Amino acid sequence: MADGPRTATRLGLYAAGLAVVFAGAYGAGAALVPDSVVDRWVERAGADGHGGDDGAEQGGHDAGHGGGDR
């Protein structure tokens, strides 16, 4: 067991490697995807009705409880 890196060292190196990979992906996304594409995507995502805050809970929320507040 003395001839290899210890578990804590190996986990630390793995975590550092993941941080580098995610930072690189974030940087590549910021550099390669224009802001206009992001703005259109966000606009369409909000218009689809899948945004979460647009009434999904208003209509179906009370109906799913079966009248527990009556």
Side-chain angles (χ1 to χ4, degrees):
M1 286 193 189
D3 50 12
R6 303 197 78 182
T7 302
T9 304
R10 291 173 62 193
L11 286 174
L13 290 172
Y14 181 73
L18 282 178
V20 168
V21 168
F22 280 108
Y26 180 80
L32 298 175
V33 179
D35 288 335
S36 61
V37 172
V38 174
D39 292 338
R40 282 193 309 252
W41 179 69
V42 169
E43 183 179 310
R44 272 190 279 159
D48 275 350
H50 296 288
D53 290 334
D54 60 342
E57 292 182 3
Q58 291 175 0
H61 185 67
D62 291 332
H65 281 286
D69 293 332
R70 288 187 213 176

